[in-house]
């Protein structure tokens, strides 16, 4: 059976394709269109899926959208408007209607599919159900508590499921606007960032703050779960006016970060962690499972994930690496099995290299077209490691592109983790972003325990661990101000070129750890093609570029 899963609602559209339950290919629409967080119907991603699999739409058994049909979704939201969730105002209703009308006219994307095949059909499903499948199916666990936390689905904000024997049973629903994602987004906006996009900036800013700010009027974590003052947050829409009386005017975007901003970020992150801990403890109680799966946009909060792991109440823990909306397609692609009364196919996800790759011939032809000077390496990992050890900052483009928001050694910018000035250098001259934002370390899996506390397996850079006290001065470029790091462990079997790079760097320097961040400029998607990589290389402060076997230096 060939199935296509589709993520399509408001932002971060994507598509993936599977054959007999085995994932073949997946890509976010933004990587192709180059429009950050592209939320349009992912027709380009669907075409890319079909092309990679060598099939046509007529050969696809099911195309499933990880979101309800737009008409159903809008109808489900009407009671919230009637209940005064948004205050007794017509504007939020009109805004919601304006947003859904184009999707209704587009028939949820079917109109565009019909241009490819006049007989094409689409199925739709619950958004949180798609997230839950995506977490459970790829965990490898037969029995697991599954917690989905995001801004919202159609009407749900948080759900808890019990995955058992290939099936999922819903155990708890917290409806909108009782939403942890809403709280984090509201304060993200108030702090001068973009809601539902820049939450990781708040997470990175939080360790610079201090305790003392009280946000309990907006979210209460003193009970068994959490409770959000949704109407209070939404009474003026997402324009931050609900918070100004308590915390002053919204910070002007791009203005100086004040201590009061840092302290507020600290409070938001600490409260988020407390709420997540409450949720997973409750999930443990109602499922009695020894394993935990997480999905939904809030599950990208690596600091909260690290806190949960440190509790030690679960033997196994899996965070779906594309936990936000784009990853819903990973659940949608498997929904047809449940619809037919079959168990969800279980394949433990150990990597997320599901995207495009380019062979040496194609890359060399492009380099010649651009008349670029380059050399071909017999050992790209060792040659690149030497350049890093010499202080160069590199673009690293190898193999199949990652699916999800993290660069994991296929489309990465890499640098020497030992240099205490490297973080500022990459932020200022390469990424063009705020200099307080941290970078992540990539480490050989069998050496991770030497550098990080309780770190044995973290392939997706979605968990935060304390850096060992004796190593903080050894890897200063990736040790955050609170002494933590968002770690990626690298295995030779899963990523041989990347492993060889880090291993060679370790042999040269004695430190088998490198600094890794996504290969893109600020406000751009991660590069997808060699052409994207070359453009980014020449419009940034990168010193060198590794494209498969080819090296280019400035």
């Amino acid at each position: 059976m060939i199935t296509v899963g589709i993520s399509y609602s408001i932002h971060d559209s994507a598509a993936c394709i599977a054959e007999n339950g085995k994932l073949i290919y997946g890509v976010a629409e933004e990587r192709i269109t180059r429009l950050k967080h592209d939320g349009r119907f992912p027709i380009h991603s669907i075409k890319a899926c079909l092309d990679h699999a060598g099939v046509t739409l007529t050969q696809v058994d099911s195309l499933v959208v990880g979101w309800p049909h737009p008409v159903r979704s809008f109808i489900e939201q009407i009671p919230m408007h009637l209940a005064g969730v948004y205050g007794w105002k017509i504007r939020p209703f009109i805004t919601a209607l304006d947003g859904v009308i184009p999707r209704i006219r587009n028939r949820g994307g079917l109109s565009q599919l019909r241009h490819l095949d006049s007989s094409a059909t689409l199925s739709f499903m619950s958004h949180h159900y798609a997230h839950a499948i995506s977490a459970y199916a790829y965990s490898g666990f037969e029995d697991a508590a599954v917690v989905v936390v995001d801004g919202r689905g159609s009407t749900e904000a948080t759900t808890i499921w019990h995955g058992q024997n290939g099936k999922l049973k819903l155990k708890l629903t917290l409806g909108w606007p009782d939403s942890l994602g809403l709280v984090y987004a509201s304060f993200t906006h108030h702090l001068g960032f973009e809601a539902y996009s820049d939450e990781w900036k708040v997470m990175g800013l939080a360790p610079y703050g201090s305790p003392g700010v009280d946000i309990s009027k907006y979210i209460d974590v003193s009970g068994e779960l959490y409770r959000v003052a949704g109407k209070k947050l939404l009474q003026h829409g997402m324009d931050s006016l609900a918070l100004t009386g308590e915390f002053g005017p919204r910070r002007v975007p791009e203005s100086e970060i004040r201590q009061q901003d840092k302290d507020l970020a600290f409070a938001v992150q600490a409260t988020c962690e407390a709420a997540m801990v409450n949720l997973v403890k409750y999930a443990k109680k109602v499922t009695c499972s020894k394993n935990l799966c997480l999905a939904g946009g809030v599950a990208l909060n690596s600091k909260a994930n690290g806190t949960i792991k440190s509790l030690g109440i679960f033997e196994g823990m899996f965070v779906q690496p594309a936990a936000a909306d784009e990853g819903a397609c990973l659940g949608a692609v498997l929904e047809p099995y449940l619809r037919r009364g079959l168990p969800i196919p279980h394949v433990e996800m150990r990597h997320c290299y599901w995207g495009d790759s380019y062979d040496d011939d194609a890359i060399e032809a492009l380099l010649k077209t651009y008349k670029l000077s380059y050399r071909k390496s017999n050992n790209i990992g060792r040659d690149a490691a030497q350049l890093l050890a010499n202080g160069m900052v590199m673009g690293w483009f190898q193999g199949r592109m990652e699916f999800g928001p993290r660069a994991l050694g296929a489309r990465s910018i890499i640098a020497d983790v030992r240099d205490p000035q490297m973080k500022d250098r990459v932020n200022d001259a390469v990424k063009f972003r705020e200099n307080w934002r941290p970078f992540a370390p990539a480490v050989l899996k069998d050496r991770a325990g030497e550098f990080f506390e309780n770190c044995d397996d973290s392939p997706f850079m979605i968990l935060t661990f304390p850096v060992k006290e004796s190593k903080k001065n050894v890897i200063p470029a990736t040790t955050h101000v609170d002494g933590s790091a968002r770690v990626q462990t690298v295995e030779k079997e899963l990523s041989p070129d990347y492993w060889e790079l880090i291993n060679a760097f370790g042999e040269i320097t004695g430190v088998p750890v490198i600094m890794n961040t996504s290969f893109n400029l600020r406000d751009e998607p991660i590069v997808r093609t060699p052409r994207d990589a070359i453009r980014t290389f020449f419009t940034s402060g990168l010193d060198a570029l590794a494209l498969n076997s080819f090296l280019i230096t400035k």
Side-chain angles (χ1 to χ4, degrees):
M1 180 163 64
I2 298 175
T3 55
V4 172
I6 300 168
S7 299
Y8 168 55
S9 58
I10 300 171
H11 53 80
D12 295 302
S13 296
C16 64
I17 188 167
E19 183 175 6
N20 297 325
K22 182 179 180 181
L23 195 62
I24 299 172
Y25 178 91
V27 65
E29 190 75 354
E30 67 166 22
R31 303 288 176 89
I32 302 175
T33 64
R34 311 308 300 159
L35 178 64
K36 188 72 171 174
H37 298 304
D38 194 342
R40 295 171 295 182
F41 186 74
I43 191 67
H44 300 92
S45 299
I46 294 169
K47 288 179 180 177
C49 287
L50 300 175
D51 290 343
H52 183 89
V55 298
T56 63
L57 270 181
T58 57
Q59 295 171 284
V60 174
D61 296 283
S62 294
L63 293 99
V64 185
V65 179
W67 196 271
H69 190 281
V71 173
R72 177 180 175 182
S73 181
F74 182 71
I75 291 173
E76 289 176 345
Q77 293 174 41
I78 290 176
M80 294 188 294
H81 291 276
L82 295 177
V85 165
Y86 300 94
W88 297 106
K89 300 176 182 178
I90 193 64
R91 181 181 173 186
F93 182 81
I94 297 300
T95 300
L97 188 61
D98 287 343
V100 78
I101 285 176
R103 294 199 292 277
I104 293 175
R105 286 176 177 168
N106 194 26
R107 301 170 66 189
L110 185 59
S111 297
Q112 286 173 272
L113 275 181
R114 288 284 171 88
H115 291 303
L116 298 180
D117 178 5
S118 60
S119 63
T121 59
L122 273 178
S123 299
F124 300 83
M125 65 182 296
S126 159
H127 184 58
H128 270 227
Y129 193 24
H131 274 315
I133 294 173
S134 79
Y136 175 56
Y138 301 102
S139 68
F141 304 140
E142 284 297 328
D143 187 287
V146 182
V147 180
V148 178
V149 192
D150 62 4
R152 64 181 291 183
S154 181
T155 59
E156 65 274 71
T158 291
T159 51
I160 295 176
W161 310 71
H162 189 187
Q164 200 170 30
N165 301 320
K167 300 292 178 67
L168 282 162
K169 183 177 181 181
L170 182 63
K171 306 295 288 187
L172 173 77
T173 298
L174 298 179
W176 172 267
D178 199 8
S179 166
L180 184 55
L182 169 65
V183 174
Y184 215 108
S186 298
F187 281 97
T188 296
H189 178 81
H190 186 77
L191 286 166
F193 307 119
E194 184 178 348
Y196 300 110
S197 174
D198 290 340
E199 280 74 9
W200 56 71
K201 294 184 181 182
V202 178
M203 183 178 67
L205 183 62
Y208 292 93
S210 301
V213 177
D214 182 10
I215 64 170
S216 60
K217 289 183 180 179
Y218 304 95
I219 176 170
D220 177 12
V221 295
S222 63
E224 188 173 32
L225 294 167
Y226 70 80
R227 284 293 177 264
V228 171
K231 290 185 179 181
K232 183 186 294 288
L233 288 172
L234 292 169
Q235 61 183 316
H236 298 291
M238 190 62 75
D239 59 10
S240 195
L241 290 177
L243 303 177
T244 56
E246 185 83 13
F247 305 107
R250 181 195 183 208
R251 172 182 161 263
V252 177
E254 306 299 332
S255 65
E256 180 183 357
I257 300 285
R258 304 159 297 182
Q259 187 59 45
Q260 66 194 65
D261 301 319
K262 299 173 186 178
D263 294 344
L264 183 56
F266 182 97
V268 173
Q269 177 61 30
T271 304
C272 173
E273 292 179 33
M276 289 292 285
V277 166
N278 287 354
L279 286 172
V280 300
K281 286 182 176 179
Y282 184 85
K284 175 77 172 181
K285 183 178 79 170
V286 298
T287 65
C288 298
S289 179
K290 64 181 181 180
N291 300 308
L292 172 68
C293 302
L294 294 174
V298 180
L300 288 177
N301 192 305
S302 57
K303 193 69 165 54
N305 295 340
T307 298
I308 291 168
K309 184 174 176 62
S310 70
L311 296 174
I313 62 175
F314 293 97
E315 293 181 17
M317 178 175 170
F318 174 73
V319 185
Q320 203 267 84
D325 275 3
E326 65 186 304
C329 69
L330 298 176
V333 79
L334 300 179
E335 184 272 344
Y337 290 86
L338 291 172
R339 197 185 334 141
R340 299 180 186 197
L342 302 171
I344 304 170
H346 261 70
V347 179
E348 182 184 4
M349 183 181 287
R350 294 297 304 165
H351 70 83
C352 56
Y353 304 117
W354 304 118
D356 302 277
S357 64
Y358 300 84
D359 60 30
D360 276 359
D361 290 343
I363 291 175
E364 188 166 26
L366 184 65
L367 294 173
K368 289 179 177 178
T369 297
Y370 286 159
K371 296 181 173 60
L372 298 178
S373 297
Y374 63 90
R375 70 179 178 90
K376 188 167 186 177
S377 170
N378 293 323
N379 189 328
I380 192 66
R382 181 160 292 277
D383 288 348
Q386 187 61 64
L387 294 179
L388 293 188
N390 293 342
M392 286 194 175
V393 180
M394 296 187 63
W396 178 259
F397 185 105
Q398 303 288 327
R400 295 188 67 178
M401 181 177 65
E402 306 92 339
F403 183 83
R406 307 297 186 214
L408 300 170
R411 305 291 186 271
S412 292
I413 290 172
I414 53 177
D416 188 346
V417 74
R418 302 169 303 158
D419 184 350
Q421 304 302 318
M422 190 57 75
K423 180 174 77 75
D424 290 342
R425 179 181 166 194
V426 175
N427 270 328
D428 293 341
V430 180
K431 299 286 282 188
F432 307 117
R433 68 181 200 179
E434 301 89 347
N435 61 10
W436 42 264
R437 291 173 61 185
F439 291 108
V443 59
L444 299 183
K445 182 181 177 181
D446 60 357
R447 303 286 299 277
E450 298 175 25
F451 293 84
F452 309 100
E453 300 285 356
N454 304 314
C455 178
D456 54 0
D457 185 43
S458 180
F460 300 119
M461 201 191 292
I462 205 165
L463 296 167
T464 297
F465 300 89
V467 180
K468 287 194 171 182
E469 193 65 38
S470 62
K471 299 298 184 181
K472 289 179 180 178
N473 291 330
V474 178
I475 55 170
T478 57
T479 300
H480 202 21
V481 66
D482 62 351
S484 69
R486 181 165 47 91
V487 181
Q488 179 197 4
T489 54
V490 180
E491 300 172 61
K492 187 174 184 178
E493 296 76 15
L494 302 179
S495 186
D497 290 329
Y498 199 44
W499 183 93
E500 177 59 33
L501 164 72
I502 301 170
N503 184 62
F505 186 78
E507 291 177 354
I508 295 168
T509 66
V511 180
V513 188
I514 65 169
M515 190 176 97
N516 171 32
T517 187
S518 56
F519 196 166
N520 63 283
L521 303 181
R522 183 179 181 180
D523 298 326
E524 290 189 2
I526 296 174
V527 301
R528 171 180 174 238
T529 67
R531 182 175 281 105
D532 296 335
I534 291 169
R535 183 188 64 82
T536 301
F537 173 61
F538 282 109
T539 54
S540 71
L542 288 171
D543 302 305
L545 172 62
L547 286 169
N548 281 17
S549 300
F550 301 100
L551 273 173
I552 309 168
T553 57
K554 290 178 182 173

